[in-house]
Amino acid sequence: MNLRLQELVFAGASRITDLSPALGARVLDSVLRPAFGSRTLSTILRRRNRQVMRRVRRFRRFLVIPDIHIGDAVMTQSSVTAFRDFFPDAEIDYVVNRAAAPIIEGNPDATRVMPLFSAGLFPSTEDLTALREIIRNGDYDLCIGFSPFMEEQALVQRGQPFLNFVTHGATLIRNEASTAAVNHFSYQGFHFLRELLSTVARPNRDTPFQGVRTTYRDEAVAQALGFMAEVRLIPGAPVIMMNPDGASRFTVMPFETQAVLLERLAQDTSPDTTILLGAGHTLAGLGGRLRDVIPLQLRSKLHIIPPSLPLEAYAALIDAADVFLTGDTGPMHIAAARRYSRSGNHQFRNRTAVLSWFGATPSRMSGYDSHQPGYLPANQDAPSWCYVAGSPCRNITCVNKMFKTCRTVRCFERVDVNALVTLVVSHIGHRAAP
């Protein structure tokens, strides 16, 4: 679906739910789910992808193109692994968001990590021009793209084998009707590519999906440790880290609700608990505004993570947290990934529980939960939970939060703060028990 058509479809869907939230959502689901999630459509698109595979003449150079955001760079590493499973000696290049590159470099399955995409909701003209040059000069035998915002015909020359993960969309939509399959983008991307590669080759290693990773330089670890010393974290005492920010207004929990949640966390945890609060990047200053409405006697527990702290150091800092709270945005995927030291000089705990809250976006497609069927657990030695807020108008078109234009945001109309606080306090208490 080209970009202009996407704009029209999702803007139209937004108007429908603006006029009648609950009825509009039911109508959209009843019409669009059967059409875009049909087995017939899946079969047609699978046949098209197998035709692409038959055009591949060599299997020595591959390019993986995730969507442009930080979280996508983390999640889509699973496809790099899928290529490496089949072709251990191939060159596998991975084009990623520039800010995410430092925590992706060091992935043993990627030959080259190529920082390209700039910050923004959509690929810029400069991004697309640079990507076209990479593809045309790279002599790639096969490329795979994951962004719904990049049109294939604008990237590759005629005859260039190119797989588009968007063609797997019908399967993803149909999976939402059943919890029989894990429906996470990372898990599905891994199996989507493996299934197609198996039509032309046998795997060299046949290990199951094991989640994704992030890798850290010693400098980033040192910066994280420096911040921990600055705020005087008490060794062995509970640490909560909260990311109040988000990439879209449809995934950010309302300010008033986050304020109540933060106050309850400060009030209901032990006196030696530290709460590290993100400053906010998309919503600059959000952390400080939240702290300022917390009762004065509780503020000593709160420490704002400065926006000047590089993303790589912020990501390394997550390892100090017993629980990481976040909406559906890049730091959620960073927190859920397994952490490794690039030099081997640092041993990460990898025991951060991840509690994520979801408004518009489908929680099974991008969230982490180690208890509910059909979900992917975080790649940590700790539990993960997805909390889905009550919304009268949630429907299948909410999957594309970037093109939604709802006038009224109803994604977090009902949030059970007590349930969220209970999960955190219970986990911390369990972790501290002898």
Side-chain angles (χ1 to χ4, degrees):
M1 188 185 296
N2 66 44
L3 297 185
R4 180 55 182 159
L5 184 55
Q6 286 189 64
E7 287 180 337
L8 294 173
V9 167
F10 290 102
S14 300
R15 294 291 80 75
I16 289 171
T17 51
D18 275 333
L19 292 170
S20 180
L23 177 60
R26 289 198 296 272
V27 169
L28 289 169
D29 277 343
S30 64
V31 172
L32 297 180
R33 280 183 184 270
F36 290 106
S38 73
R39 291 188 180 277
T40 300
L41 180 58
S42 289
T43 301
I44 292 170
L45 294 173
R46 188 177 293 113
R47 186 178 300 125
R48 173 201 176 275
N49 288 332
R50 290 188 176 188
Q51 289 172 350
V52 171
M53 294 303 300
R54 285 196 288 271
R55 296 207 312 268
V56 181
R57 295 290 174 256
R58 301 171 301 183
F59 298 92
R60 56 183 185 79
R61 286 181 59 81
F62 304 104
L63 180 66
V64 179
I65 310 164
D67 205 352
I68 68 171
H69 304 113
I70 290 169
D72 299 291
V74 175
M75 286 193 292
T76 311
Q77 291 177 98
S78 62
S79 293
V80 177
T81 299
F83 268 127
R84 186 63 70 200
D85 284 348
F86 279 79
F87 304 105
D89 300 320
E91 293 184 27
I92 306 170
D93 291 347
Y94 192 42
V95 178
V96 299
N97 178 289
R98 294 174 196 165
I103 61 173
I104 306 297
E105 291 167 351
N107 183 321
D109 290 327
T111 306
R112 277 175 293 273
V113 174
M114 309 171 75
L116 174 67
F117 302 121
S118 52
L121 297 180
F122 302 101
S124 68
T125 301
E126 293 76 14
D127 291 340
L128 295 175
T129 299
L131 181 56
R132 278 194 296 269
E133 288 303 305
I134 288 171
I135 294 172
R136 292 175 185 179
N137 295 329
D139 192 26
Y140 293 107
D141 302 310
L142 177 64
C143 303
I144 179 170
F146 285 81
S147 175
F149 310 120
M150 300 182 200
E151 298 182 44
E152 179 181 334
Q153 60 271 26
L155 293 178
V156 300
Q157 295 175 317
R158 187 177 180 84
Q160 165 73 56
F162 188 96
L163 293 171
N164 194 333
F165 184 66
V166 173
T167 60
H168 194 60
T171 300
L172 292 169
I173 291 171
R174 192 168 59 254
N175 285 347
E176 286 293 285
S178 167
T179 57
V182 172
N183 207 33
H184 195 277
F185 287 128
S186 187
Y187 180 91
Q188 286 289 324
F190 176 79
H191 287 287
F192 167 77
L193 184 53
R194 279 186 64 97
E195 179 185 339
L196 289 169
L197 292 175
S198 69
T199 65
V200 295
R202 289 185 177 181
N204 181 70
R205 60 185 188 193
D206 204 11
T207 53
F209 179 80
Q210 297 181 332
V212 297
R213 60 187 289 151
T214 47
T215 310
Y216 299 85
R217 297 176 301 166
D218 290 345
E219 293 87 342
V221 174
Q223 286 177 303
L225 292 173
F227 176 76
M228 291 163 59
E230 182 181 321
V231 300
R232 299 179 181 177
L233 286 187
I234 302 170
V239 177
I240 298 169
M241 191 165 170
M242 179 168 160
N243 168 41
D245 207 357
S248 162
R249 62 195 180 108
F250 304 114
T251 60
V252 177
M253 189 186 290
F255 180 90
E256 295 78 10
T257 308
Q258 292 207 60
V260 172
L261 173 60
L262 191 58
E263 181 177 345
R264 284 287 310 279
L265 289 171
Q267 177 181 292
D268 292 4
T269 52
S270 61
D272 60 345
T273 299
T274 297
I275 300 176
L276 304 178
L277 185 61
H281 288 271
T282 303
L283 299 171
L286 177 58
R289 294 195 299 275
L290 285 167
R291 179 195 55 196
D292 290 345
V293 300
I294 302 302
L296 195 60
Q297 67 272 21
L298 297 174
R299 288 186 205 170
S300 61
K301 284 187 171 184
L302 274 57
H303 298 277
I304 302 296
I305 303 168
S308 58
L309 191 71
L311 176 66
E312 186 183 9
Y314 173 93
L317 179 63
I318 293 174
D319 198 62
D322 296 295
V323 185
F324 186 83
L325 292 85
T326 180
D328 178 16
T329 188
M332 175 184 67
H333 302 292
I334 293 173
R338 196 84 178 172
R339 290 176 280 276
Y340 292 88
S341 165
R342 194 174 306 175
S343 67
N345 293 330
H346 180 75
Q347 188 67 42
F348 285 101
R349 299 186 320 143
N350 284 307
R351 293 201 302 271
T352 302
V354 180
L355 171 56
S356 54
W357 50 75
F358 278 73
T361 46
S363 58
R364 282 177 59 204
M365 290 188 187
S366 55
Y368 303 88
D369 198 295
S370 45
H371 302 87
Q372 300 186 67
Y375 281 81
L376 180 69
N379 198 8
Q380 292 287 296
D381 298 329
S384 46
W385 308 277
C386 259
Y387 175 80
V388 181
S391 171
C393 52
R394 183 181 293 109
N395 64 85
I396 192 58
T397 68
C398 296
V399 68
N400 195 335
K401 61 182 180 288
M402 298 306 181
F403 274 140
K404 294 290 284 185
T405 59
C406 306
R407 293 192 180 99
T408 302
V409 178
R410 299 183 174 90
C411 306
F412 292 91
E413 204 160 271
R414 296 184 305 279
V415 177
D416 188 345
V417 171
N418 285 332
L420 296 174
V421 173
T422 298
L423 278 174
V424 174
V425 173
S426 174
H427 176 72
I428 289 175
H430 177 73
R431 148 217 170 280

